[in-house]
Amino acid sequence: MGLLEIKNLHANIGDKEILKGVNLTINPGEVHAIMGPNGSGKSTLSAVLTGNPTYTVTEGSVMFNGKNLLEMAPEDRAREGMFLSFQYPVEIPGVSMVNFIRTAVNEKRKYQGQPALSATEFLKMMRERKDLVELDNKLANRSVNEGFSGGEKKRNEIFQMAMLEPKLSILDETDSGLDIDALRIVAKGVNHLRNSENASIVITHYQRLLDYIVPDVVHVLYKGRIVKTEGRELVAELEEKGYDWIKREQGDL
Amino acid sequence: MSVEQSYIDIYNQMAGKVKAQSSAPLNALRDEAFKAFADRGFPTKKWEDFQRSDLRERYATDYGMNLTQFNINFNPYKTFKCDVQSIKSHLFFVVNDVFYCNDPKVADEIAALEQQGIVAGSLRQVAQTHPELVAKYYGKAAKWDVDTTVAFNTAFAQDGFFIYVPKQVQIDAPIQIINVMNADLDMMATSRNLVVVEEGAKLQLLVCGHAAKQFNYLCNRVTEVFVGNYGTLEMYKLEDTECCMTNIGSLFVEQQADSNVLINEITLKNGFTRNNINVELKGEHAELNLCGMAIGDGDKHIDNHTFVKHAVGHCKTNELYKYIMNDASVGSFDGKIMVDKDSQKTEAYQSNRNIVVTPTAKMYTKPHLEIYADDVKCSHGATVGQLDKEALFYMQSRGIPEAEARMLLMVAFANDVIENIRIEALRTRMRLLVERRFRGEVKACSSCPDLCM
Ligand SMILES: Nc1ncnc2c1ncn2[C@@H]1O[C@H](COP(=O)(O)OP(=O)(O)O)[C@@H](O)[C@H]1O
Ligand SMILES: [Mg+2]
């Protein structure tokens, strides 16, 4: 049984159908890339999987870890091991980074029946994981994402991922707006966390990131459906030819 | 019989006795104040400055009045034991409307302050021992043309706290005043406070309100404050009372040149609250920081009315009020900053930000600036919104339960009011109280009165 099994997933925003029957199975240890033109529904898929209330699921099922994901509150999905690195991380003025991540870590531990970390244990863990993504010490005492540069926000997402050790991480365009150095740091963090138990979905437009985080499977999402699934060689093909041939195959050009 | 009539009758019967117990500085204004009250009665919603608060209705309950100033058998020093001793303060109590003197600690504290040249204690007593000092200030800042509850207070009040910090004296520790309501019947308290901070002097004052029992209580407390040239006053006020408490608090502040005043009012829990704050900046380069926050739930009513007058130029006002309204609570902010014609180079900023959590809660806001000078920097604004949904989801997506995420966002919202507190230990304490309050813990402060250090 897969870690994530999506069957015929349909989802709306308001009256508008965005996902029109997505099927996808992800096994532990795998990295899947999801590519596709702007507006295809990639962010919608990640939002639906994490339980964003803006979207309504109208049809289909999603099993995560053998449990019905769609019935779970967003916080329970997270504590079951789902993680989204947001395309646009949210700023939360007045809530310090330390307080935020400590609450998240300890809530997860509570859910798993483990005691809260002591202050020392927590700080040690935080220091290690922060170093992994070369996040500035100062940021820990600032409000969540407030006044962070674009690159800092993305590295902060990977830092949170490192702290929460998810089973499934969805990276939604974590590479957009990153210079090559930041991209390398992000990729290093992701690869470091990769093991045979967990899995990732990497959503991106470009080959760049996939040179660093090498996918096992590559999907193309187009108009709310997965229209192509191949091995990693598809990345180079898309980079070379763009999406027009896919659109043509779909009878749109 | 009108609501007012019974109080008019009481005054006519009792004024002689009240005056006999009281002394000249307080008696001088009684009849005039009583006349002003009898002529116009209590404020109702028809009055321009009371659109959200009908005070006449609040006075309609048949409360007991303690005009003989009978000292009830209750020692707050024994009842209230504090769990946090992080900052030292000079602690006094006003029980109902009587400054509490019956514990030996009171005389010790008064003596300790006297060593520093400070006169502090019961207004009634100081008016007898230092009549010229009280007469110089009493009734000079408090006006009753807008609010007749101030006239009512001036007619009836006999006691309260008095603090005089002479020139250049910087007090060694904050003074803490705890107002306690304690009576086994519906009870009204009418108390009067006077604070004088002379040239170059500094005072930190913590005031909190507490109700020891569950009767209907009404407090009408008027406080006059005078801050001299280069004087500094920090005044922290906390309300954490019960649903059956009506609090009418009026504060009148006069600031001279180069003075610095911070007023920070936090309403954690209350019944019906109406705060009037009036500040007049009378000397150049005076600075005022006026801020407050209120948390409403149930059917609570919180109305803050502020008026700041820039009577001269080169002064600065920073005003910030924040409300978080739950359930069917009703909040109102009505703030005016007035800049007189010749008050050039004024800086005045006013902001009122509110979160209305539930669809049944209500928030009324009326920020305004009235500017007659032309060379000024002023701004004002108000917002009413909900908790940030995206931030809420972001936190949930990290495994933080919705209720906890809401709590964190509410604490974060309140944070900049708390950040204004200049006493670090108090800031920490206040953050904790606010957090406990948002967690829905019945009494934010577990074993002691609210600001208890
Ligand atoms: N808040 C919204 N309201 C209405 N339409 C939206 C909203 N968010 C996204 N959409 C629409 O949903 C579609 C899919 O968007 P999205 O999932 O962001 O695509 P991608 O991430 O693949 O670029 C687009 O057509 C977009 O216009
Ligand atoms: Mg997207």
Side-chain angles (χ1 to χ4, degrees), chain A residues 13-14 16-19 35-47 54-55 87-88 172-173 203 205 221:
Chain A
I13 182 157
K16 188 171 160 197
E17 183 166 66
I18 312 282
L19 299 184
M35 305 183 74
N38 258 330
S40 305
K42 303 183 297 294
S43 292
T44 303
L45 178 62
S46 52
T54 316
Y55 303 84
Q87 182 171 2
Y88 305 106
D172 190 359
E173 302 212 18
I203 296 172
H205 278 299
L221 187 73

Side-chain angles (χ1 to χ4, degrees), chain B residues 269-408:
Chain B
K269 262 187 168 260
N270 73 315
F272 180 104
T273 298
R274 160 79 181 199
N275 288 317
N276 299 297
I277 296 177
N278 301 273
V279 182
E280 186 167 354
L281 300 164
K282 303 180 81 165
E284 291 188 347
H285 303 288
E287 182 175 329
L288 168 68
N289 283 283
L290 173 56
C291 57
M293 67 168 261
I295 305 168
D297 62 5
D299 60 352
K300 307 306 161 47
H301 178 104
I302 304 165
D303 179 357
N304 284 303
H305 187 269
T306 72
F307 177 63
V308 177
K309 183 176 163 74
H310 282 253
V312 297
H314 298 277
C315 292
K316 185 170 173 182
T317 295
N318 245 316
E319 182 173 7
L320 171 67
Y321 270 80
K322 290 189 148 185
Y323 290 62
I324 300 156
M325 308 308 289
N326 286 284
D327 304 333
S329 58
V330 178
S332 170
F333 171 80
D334 182 350
K336 186 198 273 192
I337 298 180
M338 188 157 122
V339 180
D340 285 357
K341 187 166 154 287
D342 296 320
S343 302
Q344 304 299 355
K345 304 284 180 199
T346 290
E347 273 186 70
Y349 310 104
Q350 185 190 58
S351 164
N352 171 228
R353 294 179 52 203
N354 310 292
I355 289 183
V356 176
V357 182
T358 50
T360 41
K362 281 200 178 67
M363 182 67 212
Y364 300 96
T365 174
K366 197 170 149 194
H368 40 154
L369 294 172
E370 216 174 288
I371 303 170
Y372 298 101
D374 45 30
D375 184 11
V376 299
K377 272 194 222 159
C378 295
S379 69
H380 70 309
T383 56
V384 180
Q386 276 90 44
L387 288 177
D388 182 346
K389 288 200 176 67
E390 284 190 46
L392 209 54
F393 177 68
Y394 188 72
M395 292 196 202
Q396 285 179 272
S397 81
R398 298 303 184 238
I400 301 174
E402 187 183 348
E404 184 73 16
R406 284 180 176 278
M407 201 273 299
L408 286 173

Side-chain angles (χ1 to χ4, degrees), chain A residues 16 39 49 70 75 79 87 92 100 144 150 192 202 219:
Chain A
K16 188 171 160 197
L49 292 177
L70 299 177
E75 53 266 38
R79 293 181 291 193
Q87 182 171 2
I92 316 179
F100 168 72
V144 177
H192 181 88
V202 181
H219 310 273

Side-chain angles (χ1 to χ4, degrees), chain A residues 212-243:
Chain A
Y212 291 99
I213 307 171
V214 182
D216 302 299
V217 189
V218 180
H219 310 273
V220 175
L221 187 73
Y222 180 62
K223 288 192 165 174
R225 261 186 222 105
I226 289 181
V227 296
K228 201 170 256 323
T229 297
E230 285 178 23
R232 65 186 60 138
E233 63 286 351
L234 181 59
V235 178
E237 198 177 346
L238 287 170
E239 186 77 9
E240 194 193 311
K241 302 203 275 183
Y243 290 106

Side-chain angles (χ1 to χ4, degrees), chain B residues 225-246:
Chain B
V225 173
F226 300 85
V227 183
N229 296 345
Y230 292 98
T232 302
L233 172 75
E234 294 167 27
M235 187 163 171
Y236 305 100
K237 228 184 111 193
L238 178 75
E239 184 175 354
D240 189 11
T241 57
E242 304 293 335
C243 52
C244 38
M245 173 77 106
T246 295

